[in-house]
């Protein structure tokens, strides 16, 4: 027992307090990460949903959950890929179409280990979308985001989410290409020749896309030079990339805006084959389908519309000849139906009629759908559309009260809706009506008028959304100015489909949500819509989707 204290090492004198020298494994970890091979240069992403459901995201539209199980083809990602290949290896992940969980997505991301990561972002899925950015940044990937939420809120987004390196504002195509080129020059992978052309630093081979994209970049400017050709000691070339928001030291910097493309025909054909188009589905369509962009921009002044955030009131058309060429490409890929994807498909009568005549002459054996306004059609044009294979038109009707329409700057008369939809029916075209509950000036009486109008119109499908003040729209600034935002709201609640952030004096958020569901219930639970719904289940996939849609809708209107 007497030897116990001597054997106890705790009896030794405590040594003098040493200086702190913590181990530093950063360089080893960084070197190992850099040595791991990348399977692609650029990864273009439509990330998983926050709840495992089907969500709609698009380059110039809002994000919303799809109660109708409509999976949107990611034509914007296919267009971005066309500006990168073959100079860069590109992969597309459409996690919504592939019904991919976040666990599956992370596994795919780690296997690809891209050098650049570009994601779509929408207000209702903001934090969810930024989780993908966080995962990519943890792999050392350069991260970028685009879409209608980050375009007007670039600084706010970059400040709130440190894992995000860049925001591409407005039209993202050339901003992405120029940014990647500039970073590649900075990293030494590309070098610049005397003609301001990019060449591979090892092989000396010229970048194949440069001359093809020059018309888009220059816009006809004779002395134009790309940003990466203007590297100087006092100014980084990144500062010259238009349409970019970025970090500079501890600050957020927004570069000069990028001008609109003068001609959409200068854009290369989207790479549809990179998309999982066999997984894209929509109501009334039997089998896979895809999108074709026919134009960008809309001259109408609807104050709630998010499209004006990206394109303002510009209108650019694609030529009917190119559109038919793209339809032939999709036909060869096995696609039998396309949606003419535009802010307003019928924005130019001459383009629409010529396109229809070319489709008839080409005997493409394709059906197609589109959107329109009731004041941008006539009976002859709709007849041509029916002859050319148009099977359905989605109409923005919004309200059955003309004063509400006037305050929203919608700009049409109620009688025009009935006339246009009857013309469409006579041409053999189905009608899909979109309505908005809760625009400024809305009352219980005006909502009832909207429901009554919806019941009287020859509609095959109708959806009722809640007015959503998306950042950057005139409606957003009106809501802020009048104090209609419900206190304590966050961006995920700016959602046209599931909830609202609006509190009017006479109609609170709960009232608007109640009337949204009641409007749909009153319209849908009638013999005509029920029969249309049953007829849409014309295949095994349609039956499964129809049952799912029915269960979702029933649960939603009961909630």
């Amino acid at each position: 027992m007497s030897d116990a204290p001597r054997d106890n090492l705790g009896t030794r004198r405590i040594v003098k307090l040493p200086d702190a020298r913590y181990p530093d494994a950063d360089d080893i970890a960084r070197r190992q990460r850099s040595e791991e091979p990348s399977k692609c240069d650029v990864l273009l992403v439509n990330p998983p949903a926050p709840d495992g459901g089907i969500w709609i995201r698009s380059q110039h539209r809002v994000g919303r959950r799809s109660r109708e199980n409509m999976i949107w083809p990611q034509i914007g990602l296919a267009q971005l890929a066309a500006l990168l290949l073959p100079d860069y290896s590109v992969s597309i992940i459409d996690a919504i179409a592939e019904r991919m969980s976040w666990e599956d997505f992370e596994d795919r991301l780690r296997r690809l280990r891209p050098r650049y990561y570009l994601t779509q972002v929408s207000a209702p899925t903001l934090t969810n979308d930024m989780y993908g950015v966080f995962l990519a940044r943890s792999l050392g990937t350069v991260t970028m985001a685009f879409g209608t939420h980050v375009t007007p809120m670039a600084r706010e987004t970059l400040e709130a989410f440190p894992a995000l390196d860049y925001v591409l504002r407005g039209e993202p195509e050339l901003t992405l290409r120029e940014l990647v080129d500039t970073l590649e020059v900075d990293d030494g992978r590309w070098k610049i020749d005397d003609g301001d052309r990019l060449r591979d630093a090892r092989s000396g081979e010229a970048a194949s896309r440069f001359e093809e994209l020059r018309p888009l970049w220059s816009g006809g400017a004779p002395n134009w030079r790309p940003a990466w050709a203007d590297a100087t000691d006092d100014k980084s070339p990144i500062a010259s990339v238009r349409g970019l928001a970025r970090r500079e030291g501890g600050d957020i910097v927004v570069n000069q805006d990028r001008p609109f493309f003068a001609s959409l025909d200068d854009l290369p054909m989207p790479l549809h084959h990179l998309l999982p188009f066999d997984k894209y589905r929509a109501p009334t369509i039997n089998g896979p389908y895809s999108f074709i962009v026919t134009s960008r921009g809309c001259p109408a002044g609807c104050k709630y519309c998010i499209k004006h955030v990206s394109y303002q009131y510009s209108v650019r058309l694609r030529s009917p000849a190119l559109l038919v060429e793209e339809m032939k490409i999709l036909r060869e890929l096995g696609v039998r139906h396309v949606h003419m994807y535009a802010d307003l498909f019928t924005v130019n009568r001459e383009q629409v009629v010529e396109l229809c005549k070319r489709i008839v002459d080409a005997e493409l054996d394709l059906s197609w759908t589109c959107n329109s306004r009731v004041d941008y059609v006539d009976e002859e044009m709709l007849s041509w559309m029916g002859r050319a294979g148009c099977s359905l038109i989605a109409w923005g009707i919004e309200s059955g009260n003309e004063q509400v329409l006037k305050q929203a700057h919608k700009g049409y008369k109620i009688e025009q809706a009935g006339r246009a939809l009857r013309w469409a029916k006579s041409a053999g075209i189905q009608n899909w009506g979109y309505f908005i509950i809760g625009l400024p000036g809305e009352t219980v009486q005006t909502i009832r008028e909207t429901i009554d109008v919806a019941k009287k119109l020859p509609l095959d499908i109708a959806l009722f959304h809640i007015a959503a003040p998306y950042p950057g729209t005139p409606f957003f600034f009106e809501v802020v100015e009048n104090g209609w935002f419900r206190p304590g709201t966050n961006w995920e609640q700016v959602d046209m489909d599931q909830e609202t952030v609006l509190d009017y004096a006479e109609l609170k958020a709960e009232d608007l949500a109640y009337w949204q569901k009641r409007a749909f219930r009153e319209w849908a639970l009638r013999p005509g819509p029920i029969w249309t719904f049953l007829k849409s289940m014309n295949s095994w996939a349609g039956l499964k989707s129809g049952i799912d849609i029915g269960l979702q809708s029933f649960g939603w209107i009961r909630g």
Side-chain angles (χ1 to χ4, degrees), residues 79-84 171-178 181 209-222 224-228 242 257-270 296 316-318 322:
Q79 183 66 81
L80 288 162
L83 274 82
L84 295 167
E171 292 182 308
E173 290 89 356
L174 281 186
T175 304
L176 172 64
R177 175 68 202 227
E178 190 169 4
D181 285 348
R209 280 292 188 193
F210 181 81
E211 291 300 333
E212 180 181 339
L213 299 180
R214 186 187 287 274
L216 284 170
W217 259 317
S218 65
W224 166 83
R225 285 164 60 85
W228 35 260
R242 293 186 175 190
D257 288 339
R258 182 173 293 278
F260 296 121
F261 299 140
S263 171
L264 296 185
D265 284 355
D266 290 333
L267 282 166
M269 197 71 76
R296 287 184 181 178
R316 281 80 45 77
L317 307 173
R318 289 181 72 204
L322 273 181

Side-chain angles (χ1 to χ4, degrees), residues 157-171:
T157 308
L158 285 166
E159 288 173 358
F161 299 97
L164 181 62
D165 295 316
Y166 299 101
V167 165
L168 315 184
R169 303 176 69 232
E171 292 182 308

Side-chain angles (χ1 to χ4, degrees), residues 37-50:
S38 173
K39 298 291 180 59
C40 77
D41 294 323
V42 185
L43 180 62
L44 308 173
V45 172
N46 185 33

Side-chain angles (χ1 to χ4, degrees), residues 165-205:
D165 295 316
Y166 299 101
V167 165
L168 315 184
R169 303 176 69 232
E171 292 182 308
E173 290 89 356
L174 281 186
T175 304
L176 172 64
R177 175 68 202 227
E178 190 169 4
L179 173 61
V180 172
D181 285 348
T182 302
L183 294 173
E184 293 292 284
V185 169
D186 190 55
D187 286 343
R189 294 187 179 91
W190 291 115
K191 63 181 181 179
I192 308 166
D193 65 17
D194 294 337
D196 292 335
R197 294 175 178 81
L198 293 176
R199 293 190 178 275
D200 188 286
R202 290 175 297 181
S203 68
E205 186 175 342

Side-chain angles (χ1 to χ4, degrees), residues 2-44:
S2 60
D3 291 338
R6 185 180 58 196
D7 294 337
N8 182 352
L9 298 182
T11 62
R12 297 182 181 182
R13 182 176 60 86
I14 295 177
V15 299
K16 181 183 177 182
L17 187 67
D19 294 333
R21 291 195 296 270
Y22 301 115
D24 186 352
D26 279 344
D27 289 341
I28 295 173
R30 191 177 296 110
R31 185 167 62 249
Q32 287 181 333
R33 187 175 63 188
S34 65
E35 290 173 354
E36 293 184 35
S38 173
K39 298 291 180 59
C40 77
D41 294 323
V42 185
L43 180 62
L44 308 173

